């Protein structure tokens, strides 16, 4: 139940950066724009969820309690308050500084600074879909993709768990090839396609479906390149299906895993005949590049 539907409210909390992807997924039912800051020296990020109408205390408390139980931590203190009558979207965007990752300069519309020479600007606004470029997992994927483009030929690509579509757009720009973006969340697919239009990036197809089980995945495969920036456990579970859909000589770029989870993810993919050809660590997060 929502109260005061004419007003904008914010749910604010501080959490450890390592738990950010889990909390972002958990907070999606609030149907709001999620904005996070860069971590402080203690590795803590501030999270704000902007929603139309006051979310119920019961819903917020239930989400946070369930998430804390899953990760084995304390329930974070939360402030729920109504925003003043201001342009809250513009205010939230101020917390999103531009970032440079590989060939790309990722920014919101509020950014006025010029992109570095020879970089490709990507306009990504705060939205309901994961992937504004701020998180080290997204940065790691963009860096790995940029490096691969120097000598790897790709004519058909898959972005599994496409979120905001940032990796789909990056792949299309780097290789000028068709990209299939798949996400289990319909809002993410919608936002990904909107972002592609906003950035004048064509030949991206978005599909809402259950991962590799989506019919379009098999119909368009196999793929020279598969990108999957999700979480460690789903990556392990999906390893056999990734291998099945990867073309001979193809590569996969995986992230969403902590460095402490890397061995588990590597073993799951080695078990199906894939090998790690590069690893990249940013903060506490790992990005892996694998091939046959």
């Amino acid at each position: 139940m929502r109260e005061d539907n004419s007003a904008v409210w914010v749910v604010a909390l501080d959490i450890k950066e390592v738990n950010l992807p889990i909390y972002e997924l958990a907070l999606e039912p609030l149907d709001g724009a999620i904005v996070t800051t860069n971590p402080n020296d203690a590795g803590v990020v501030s999270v704000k969820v902007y929603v139309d109408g006051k979310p119920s205390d019961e819903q917020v408390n239930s989400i946070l309690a369930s998430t804390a139980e899953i990760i084995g931590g304390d329930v974070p203190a939360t402030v729920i308050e109504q925003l003043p009558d201001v342009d809250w979207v513009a205010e939230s965007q101020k917390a999103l500084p531009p970032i440079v990752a590989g060939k790309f300069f990722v920014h919101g519309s509020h950014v006025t600074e010029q992109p570095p020479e020879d970089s490709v600007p990507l306009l990504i606004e705060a939205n309901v879909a994961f992937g504004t470029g701020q998180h080290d997992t997204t940065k790691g994927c963009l860096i790995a993709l940029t490096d691969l483009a120097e000598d790897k030929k790709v004519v058909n690509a898959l972005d599994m768990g496409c979120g905001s579509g940032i990796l789909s757009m990056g792949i299309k720009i780097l290789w000028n090839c068709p990209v299939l973006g798949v996400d289990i969340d319909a809002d993410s697919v919608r936002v990904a396609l909107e972002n592609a239009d906003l950035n004048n990036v064509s030949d991206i197809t978005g599909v809402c479906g259950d991962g590799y089980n989506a019919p379009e995945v098999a119909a368009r495969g196999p793929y020279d390149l598969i990108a999957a920036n999700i979480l460690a456990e789903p990556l392990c579970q999906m390893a056999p299906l990734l291998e099945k859909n990867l073309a001979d000589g193809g590569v996969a770029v995986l992230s969403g895993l902590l460095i402490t989870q890397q061995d588990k993810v590597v073993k799951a993919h080695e078990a199906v005949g894939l090998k790690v050809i590069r690893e990249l660590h940013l903060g506490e997060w790992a990005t892996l590049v694998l091939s046959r």
Side-chain angles (χ1 to χ4, degrees), residues 2 21-34 49 51 59 63 127-131 163 183-188:
R2 291 278 176 84
I22 298 173
Y23 272 98
E24 285 183 317
L25 290 173
L27 290 166
E28 282 185 358
L30 296 182
D31 195 23
I34 301 175
V49 187
V51 298
Q59 182 185 22
I63 288 172
N127 213 310
V128 295
F130 177 78
D183 204 289
I184 199 170
D185 177 61
D187 283 332
S188 291

Side-chain angles (χ1 to χ4, degrees), residues 35 48 50 83 86-96 110:
V35 176
K48 292 184 178 180
Y50 296 88
L83 291 183
V86 297
D87 186 347
W88 66 274
V89 173
E91 292 299 312
S92 68
Q93 288 175 335
K94 292 178 181 177
L96 294 174
H110 61 290

Side-chain angles (χ1 to χ4, degrees), residues 15-275:
I15 59 173
K16 285 285 189 179
E17 184 191 17
V18 295
N19 296 325
L20 180 58
I22 298 173
Y23 272 98
E24 285 183 317
L25 290 173
L27 290 166
E28 282 185 358
L30 296 182
D31 195 23
I34 301 175
V35 176
T36 64
T37 64
N38 290 324
N40 62 20
D41 292 340
V44 173
V45 297
S46 293
V47 179
K48 292 184 178 180
V49 187
Y50 296 88
V51 298
D52 290 324
K54 184 180 184 299
S56 71
D57 293 338
E58 292 80 5
Q59 182 185 22
V60 174
N61 292 337
S62 176
I63 288 172
L64 298 180
S66 299
T67 307
E69 183 177 358
I70 291 171
I71 63 177
D74 296 329
V75 178
T78 309
V79 174
I80 303 175
E81 60 184 1
Q82 183 178 344
L83 291 183
D85 187 16
V86 297
D87 186 347
W88 66 274
V89 173
E91 292 299 312
S92 68
Q93 288 175 335
K94 292 178 181 177
L96 294 174
I99 65 107
V100 176
K103 189 178 180 67
F104 301 97
F105 177 78
V106 186
H107 66 97
S109 58
H110 61 290
V111 172
T112 58
E113 69 181 78
Q114 292 298 309
E117 188 176 355
D118 297 329
S119 68
V120 176
L122 283 178
L123 175 59
I124 304 288
E125 304 285 21
N127 213 310
V128 295
F130 177 78
T132 60
Q134 300 294 316
H135 200 270
D136 284 337
T137 57
T138 310
K139 294 178 189 176
C141 287
L142 290 174
I143 293 170
L145 291 169
T146 299
D147 292 344
L148 280 171
E150 294 180 1
D151 55 20
K152 175 65 181 176
K153 181 179 180 180
V154 173
V155 297
N156 190 28
L158 172 66
D159 181 7
M160 180 56 64
C162 62
S164 69
I166 189 170
L167 299 186
S168 294
M169 291 187 291
I171 292 168
K172 167 61 181 178
I173 290 167
L174 290 169
W175 283 281
N176 192 27
C177 68
V179 183
L180 175 63
V182 180
D183 204 289
I184 199 170
D185 177 61
D187 283 332
S188 291
V189 175
R190 172 182 58 79
V191 170
L193 295 177
E194 289 175 353
N195 282 334
D197 288 340
L198 189 64
N199 287 275
N200 296 313
V201 179
S202 61
D203 218 4
I204 291 177
T205 303
V207 172
C208 180
D210 182 18
Y212 291 97
N213 295 319
E216 292 85 355
V217 173
R220 292 174 57 126
Y223 303 90
D224 308 302
L225 170 64
I226 297 177
N229 182 15
I230 44 181
L231 295 171
E233 193 59 37
L235 286 174
C236 292
Q237 295 173 358
M238 290 179 170
L241 291 175
L242 185 152
E243 188 277 333
K244 180 180 178 181
N245 286 278
L246 192 64
D248 290 339
V251 293
V253 176
L254 310 182
S255 196
L257 59 140
L258 294 165
I259 295 172
T260 55
Q261 299 169 320
Q262 178 173 319
D263 286 347
K264 179 180 180 180
V265 174
V266 169
K267 288 178 181 178
H269 289 83
E270 287 180 339
V272 296
L274 301 179
K275 61 182 179 181

